[in-house]
């Protein structure tokens, strides 16, 4: 007999299914093509269930962006928190699924975020604020990475963070448009190349 979910577990499951539904619909039909009705119906819920979890379509759209960026940042933060030699650290970074951009559908979603920011000034302000938050966090991790490698960053860490985020998004979109995933590890290798971090003895 299947155990009944608690109210909190049920609410989390509903939010997760709504987010999954929204991600698929936004990627397939764009921001304008995915209505609240469609998102709720595709997830198997009513419109009321949607609004009990998200105040608007814009809110769920931004949560998708925030969740994706946080996954990338948290994965790198966990690696940098380890007390391991530099070669092993670089090896683990290269082998990290999350960091190397394995979220195939995010290429299309990221393009939609950019387009919606161009169309809607209100959305653009919220989007810019969220971007700055993630950029500043990533800049801190970039600083920590170079410190662990005992190297000096080649430019302002915030500029490097912007480059990393743009490169990850662009390559993800390129992989989507080419109708196939990028070569394993390609995104991370490209980022390390741009950062000027060559393989060191013992890496690989």
């Amino acid at each position: 007999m299947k155990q009944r979910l608690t109210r909190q577990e049920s609410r989390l499951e509903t939010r997760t299914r709504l987010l999954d539904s929204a991600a698929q619909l936004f990627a397939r039909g764009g921001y304008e093509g995915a209505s609240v009705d469609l998102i709720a119906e595709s997830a198997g819920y009513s419109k009321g269930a949607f609004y009990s979890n998200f105040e608007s379509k814009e809110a769920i759209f931004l949560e998708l962006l925030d969740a994706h960026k946080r996954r990338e940042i948290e994965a790198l933060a966990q690696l940098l928190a380890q007390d391991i030699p530099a070669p092993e650290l670089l090896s683990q970074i290269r082998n990290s699924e999350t960091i190397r951009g394995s979220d195939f559908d995010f290429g299309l979603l990221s393009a939609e975020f950019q387009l919606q920011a161009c169309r809607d000034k209100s959305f653009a302000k919220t989007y810019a604020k969220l971007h700055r938050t993630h950029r500043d966090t990533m800049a801190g991790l970039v600083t920590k990475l170079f410190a662990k490698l005992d190297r000096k960053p080649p430019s302002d860490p915030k500029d490097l963070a912007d480059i990393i985020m743009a490169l990850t998004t662009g390559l993800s979109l390129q992989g989507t448009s080419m109708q196939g995933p990028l070569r394993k590890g390609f995104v991370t290798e490209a980022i390390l190349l741009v950062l000027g971090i060559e393989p060191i003895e013992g890496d690989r």
Side-chain angles (χ1 to χ4, degrees):
M1 181 177 175
K2 188 176 179 180
Q3 186 176 0
R4 289 188 60 183
L5 299 176
T6 65
R7 179 172 296 184
Q8 183 177 1
E9 289 172 336
S10 179
R11 181 177 176 81
L12 179 59
E13 181 180 289
T14 300
R15 286 181 66 86
T16 300
R17 288 174 60 179
L18 286 168
L19 284 164
D20 289 343
S21 172
Q24 293 173 18
L25 290 170
F26 286 139
R28 188 189 315 153
Y31 183 82
E32 297 300 329
S35 66
V36 169
D37 285 325
L38 279 174
I39 293 170
E41 181 182 350
S42 178
Y45 297 109
S46 66
K47 193 190 319 190
F50 177 95
Y51 283 116
S52 69
N53 286 276
F54 302 98
E55 66 178 29
S56 64
K57 183 170 74 167
E58 179 181 298
I60 196 172
F61 196 47
L62 287 167
E63 182 155 334
L64 286 169
L65 172 64
D66 184 45
H68 179 84
K69 292 299 183 184
R70 279 191 285 104
R71 283 196 300 271
E72 291 182 331
I73 288 170
E74 288 168 4
L76 180 56
Q78 288 175 8
L79 291 177
L80 292 176
Q82 300 179 86
D83 185 17
I84 56 177
E88 185 178 345
L89 173 62
L90 286 178
S91 178
Q92 289 197 24
I93 288 175
R94 284 193 170 90
N95 292 326
S96 171
E97 287 285 348
T98 305
I99 293 172
R100 68 171 171 249
S102 61
D103 193 343
F104 184 62
D105 288 337
F106 193 75
L108 292 174
L109 275 176
S110 62
E112 279 301 313
F113 290 127
Q114 298 286 344
L115 288 172
Q116 185 59 19
C118 292
R119 300 184 192 111
D120 187 325
K121 290 183 179 180
S122 176
F123 178 84
K125 290 180 179 178
T126 307
Y127 176 80
K129 182 178 179 181
L130 188 59
H131 173 81
R132 285 194 299 271
T133 298
H134 289 304
R135 187 270 314 274
D136 291 348
T137 304
M138 179 62 76
L141 294 176
V142 168
T143 300
K144 188 171 184 178
L145 171 61
F146 276 93
K148 278 184 167 286
L149 298 177
D150 196 24
R151 301 181 186 182
K152 182 179 179 181
S155 186
D156 185 318
K158 287 187 178 182
D159 291 338
L160 294 176
D162 271 328
I163 292 170
I164 290 171
M165 294 168 73
L167 189 60
T168 302
T169 297
L171 289 174
S172 178
L173 181 58
Q174 179 178 309
T176 302
S177 64
M178 291 169 61
Q179 300 300 310
L182 296 170
R183 174 173 58 82
K184 180 181 178 181
F186 181 76
V187 173
T188 303
E189 289 176 11
I191 290 171
L192 293 176
L193 179 64
V194 169
L195 292 178
I197 299 177
E198 300 293 334
I200 57 181
E201 188 176 353
D203 184 21
R204 295 283 184 181

